Amino acid sequence: MPIRSARSLADRDGQLTYAEVDRLAERAALALLERGLRAHDIALVQLPNVREFVIVFFALHKIGVVPVLCLPAHRRAEIGHFAAATGAVAYFFAPGFRGFDYAAMAREVQAEAPALRHLIATGEGAEPGVDYLGPWLARDRGPGEARAALARQRPDPFDVALMLLSGGTTGVPKLIPRTHADYLYNARECARVLGWSSDTVFLAGLPLAHNFALGAPGMVAVLAVGGSVALGTSTDAEALFEAVARHGVTVLPATPALLITLLDAARRVRHDLGSLRQVCVGGQRMLPELYDRLRAALPQAVPLHAFGMAEGLTNLTRPGDAPRVARETQGRPVSPADEIRIVDDDGAAVPEGEVGELLARGPYTIRGYYRAAEHNRSAFTADGFYRTGDLVRRHASGNLVVEGRKKDLINRGGEKISAEEIENLVLAHDRVRMAAVVAMPDPVMGERACAFVILKEGASLTLGELNAFLLAREIAKFKLPERLEVVESFPLTAMGKVAKKALREVIASRLHGAEPSRA
Ligand code: J2J
């Protein structure tokens, strides 16, 4: 069914008006209150892009419970860590999503997290110890009771509203606390600069748990201006194109990796994509060549760059930017109150137009990660600027161009993998003496993870063996190294640290066939 009326939410089960979403969120909020959840409690939310994501998100906001937005791909290691780090009292999941048994994982996590009292699943069911959203959402209590009970719970706008997960350069992902006021402001500024309105129909195919699809510029931004949101659980080209045609989608967010797949499919697709007005590309740099392909394939849609981060600062190109600026730059901050600096290794401003690290401060950029005092000392400057770890330069137009990064992570199709996190796991293998995980170039994903290892005397190891070992640690699959390079020694920097830049060059040249591969 096309989204004909503004102000609606559609998923594969049909369409809901804002009022219906609100009523369902009220019902869920009341059920949570009855089970003893209270303001400032923390809840892990691991839901795909289905209506329950939106209902639970707003239900928690109504009573001041803080969702930690986990990715559906996360597994026991990550979920267990979030539960332990936050003392979460509730965990929301979709039992059989993509064939994975989330209920079994929930039980295992719960066994080690005494505070985790409530396991709450979508749909209906009868697993002991699990509550189901289905019956909660079906129970009508009349508006009087609901409104009165919820009015007393209304959170303060400056309270933490949600926690996002950091792209991660540290051993374990850091949690990013965002307040109601800052998040909504960020989302509204995105909607404003992109000219969104009640005519906007946004297709969330990327996970809503990501800041990009959630708010900047995502679902919350669309809802803030009375537009409509279509939810998709698949990033399959056929499914997304079908959704564009069915709902009359005007805005499609994508990573460059997804866009490449979509453009390849666009040649043979039969769906009508004529409604698309903006394709918003972020998470990784979209190269000018990809921008050109997008323009040629969808001439009616404006390609936009989104260079954002869950920590705050959102940069966007504007629909009115000159073609050269729109093609070559990653945009500029959305708020006039955003402050940015581009600095060298000593923290001094680089000369205009030169490359340096981007620092950001402003009304919606965090001043610290959750419970990470020590990490915060290095991740922020003394005067409160967030060190993004991104290397940028200012374009003559004033927009920013992303030239690289300082931080030690792998950006796999927009999904961030902390090198340190994976190195620690690889090092736990009893045949491994030293490990360094680096990015290797990939034509679609942009980057994939390559593990360089030094083995113990006489030992051998294959990629399959390593990954079986890592999977047994129950981590998200997207973090697995996709290539293993066994070496005798690591190049070192002058400081005696592993020279990752040199390792990146080694693997890049091997992939280009300059040197024979040993994997
Ligand atoms: C280059 N690098 C980019 C881009 C993010 C909008 C869009 C993306 C994110 C996101 C987001 C990039 N070109 N266009 O939160 O609101 C890299 C940078 C950045 C890191 C943040 C949003 N867009 N990046 O990707 O928190 O390295 O947010 O610091 O997942 O992704 O990652 P994340």
Side-chain angles (χ1 to χ4, degrees):
M1 182 178 13
I3 298 189
R4 281 198 204 88
S5 57
R7 299 176 175 269
S8 57
L9 176 77
D11 71 358
R12 57 180 173 204
D13 295 333
Q15 204 169 310
L16 297 171
T17 63
Y18 281 16
E20 285 165 334
V21 173
D22 192 46
R23 196 151 60 236
L24 295 170
E26 277 180 358
R27 291 178 187 175
L30 287 174
L32 291 168
L33 278 181
E34 281 165 6
R35 275 156 191 78
L37 273 84
R38 289 296 175 266
H40 308 297
D41 279 345
I42 291 176
L44 308 183
V45 175
Q46 189 181 28
L47 296 173
N49 293 4
V50 291
R51 59 182 54 193
E52 287 89 344
F53 182 108
V54 186
I55 294 166
V56 167
F57 185 73
F58 289 118
L60 296 174
H61 285 175
K62 283 179 187 291
I63 58 173
V65 174
V66 180
V68 175
L69 298 178
C70 312
L71 294 174
H74 284 138
R75 291 296 176 256
R76 191 175 140 191
E78 290 93 2
I79 301 295
H81 164 68
F82 302 139
T86 62
V89 299
Y91 169 44
F92 292 85
F93 59 95
F97 182 63
R98 298 226 168 107
F100 181 72
D101 189 350
Y102 287 88
M105 179 170 83
R107 286 233 168 64
E108 289 169 8
V109 170
Q110 191 180 39
E112 286 166 18
L116 195 62
R117 293 189 298 278
H118 307 281
L119 304 184
I120 304 158
T122 55
E124 325 240 328
E127 288 251 8
V130 177
D131 274 316
Y132 288 87
L133 277 168
W136 291 3
L137 301 183
R139 188 170 156 211
D140 185 6
R141 315 163 187 249
E145 185 199 342
R147 301 266 147 75
L150 294 174
R152 291 191 293 275
Q153 304 292 327
R154 215 178 147 76
D156 186 281
F158 295 103
D159 279 348
V160 173
L162 63 147
M163 295 225 253
L164 298 166
L165 306 176
S166 76
T169 53
T170 47
V172 284
K174 294 276 176 284
L175 295 160
I176 298 168
R178 303 283 305 259
T179 67
H180 295 273
D182 94 55
Y183 206 73
L184 189 55
Y185 174 71
N186 184 184
R188 281 203 172 124
E189 286 296 86
C190 290
R192 180 181 63 80
V193 305
L194 297 181
W196 290 0
S197 69
S198 57
D199 294 334
T200 298
V201 181
F202 177 87
L203 176 58
L206 300 174
L208 283 172
H210 274 306
N211 185 45
F212 182 18
L214 184 66
M219 176 184 79
V220 174
V222 184
L223 300 182
V225 295
S228 296
V229 176
L231 303 174
T233 53
S234 166
T235 47
D236 170 70
E238 173 65 30
L240 286 179
F241 287 148
E242 192 269 333
V244 169
R246 182 148 52 107
H247 299 299
V249 168
T250 63
V251 179
L252 179 70
T255 58
L258 174 60
L259 184 62
I260 290 171
T261 327
L262 293 182
L263 291 180
D264 287 345
R267 289 193 210 113
R268 45 190 161 77
V269 82
R270 288 174 311 279
H271 297 291
D272 177 8
L273 305 178
S275 59
L276 280 176
R277 294 289 168 267
Q278 296 179 343
V279 178
C280 197
V281 186
Q284 279 183 308
R285 181 170 170 182
M286 164 166 61
L287 296 174
E289 296 70 33
L290 185 57
Y291 177 98
D292 295 341
R293 280 186 64 197
L294 174 55
R295 277 216 63 78
L298 296 171
Q300 82 287 5
V302 177
L304 297 165
H305 289 263
F307 163 39
M309 51 210 74
E311 286 82 356
L313 182 71
T314 315
N315 302 284
L316 298 173
T317 50
R318 310 298 202 254
D321 277 349
R324 199 172 65 90
V325 176
R327 178 175 184 268
E328 287 170 16
T329 77
Q330 278 66 58
R332 56 187 180 277
V334 292
S335 163
D338 280 317
E339 296 173 82
I340 58 174
R341 287 189 199 151
I342 304 173
V343 301
D344 63 20
D345 286 344
D346 299 322
V350 297
E352 191 58 32
E354 288 189 15
V355 175
E357 183 182 9
L358 175 67
L359 310 185
R361 187 170 76 173
Y364 60 89
T365 296
I366 57 162
R367 297 299 178 100
Y369 292 98
Y370 173 75
R371 291 189 180 165
E374 195 183 321
H375 180 65
N376 287 341
R377 274 193 282 280
S378 57
F380 297 83
T381 64
D383 55 352
F385 279 79
Y386 166 57
R387 296 184 209 273
T388 67
D390 292 313
L391 295 173
V392 305
R393 74 179 156 83
R394 208 187 289 273
H395 187 262
S397 61
N399 279 12
L400 299 174
V401 180
V402 182
E403 293 287 357
R405 63 171 179 262
K406 276 175 95 170
K407 52 190 171 187
D408 195 9
L409 56 77
I410 294 101
N411 189 341
R412 183 184 188 276
E415 208 68 84
K416 316 303 182 305
I417 305 169
S418 156
E420 186 186 328
E421 180 184 348
I422 305 309
E423 285 161 5
N424 286 340
L425 293 170
V426 174
L427 273 176
H429 195 289
D430 61 9
R431 280 181 255 158
V432 173
R433 196 154 67 79
M434 279 175 80
V437 175
V438 299
M440 59 181 174
D442 182 82
V444 177
M445 288 296 175
E447 300 173 12
R448 293 178 189 268
C450 172
F452 279 85
V453 297
I454 303 175
L455 295 178
K456 290 185 182 158
E457 196 70 32
S460 68
L461 186 67
T462 65
L463 181 64
E465 289 167 342
L466 175 65
N467 283 344
F469 171 81
L470 293 175
L471 275 182
R473 300 281 157 132
E474 299 185 69
I475 58 168
K477 254 193 190 144
F478 69 80
K479 297 179 180 174
L480 293 179
E482 290 171 88
R483 187 170 167 119
L484 176 68
E485 292 285 315
V486 177
V487 293
E488 300 293 316
S489 63
F490 287 154
L492 297 180
T493 64
M495 306 288 286
K497 292 206 289 187
V498 176
K500 291 211 159 168
K501 186 163 176 276
L503 289 178
R504 280 196 296 273
E505 285 163 9
V506 168
I507 189 61
S509 64
R510 274 188 197 163
L511 290 173
H512 281 99
E515 272 187 63
S517 165
R518 288 200 253 163

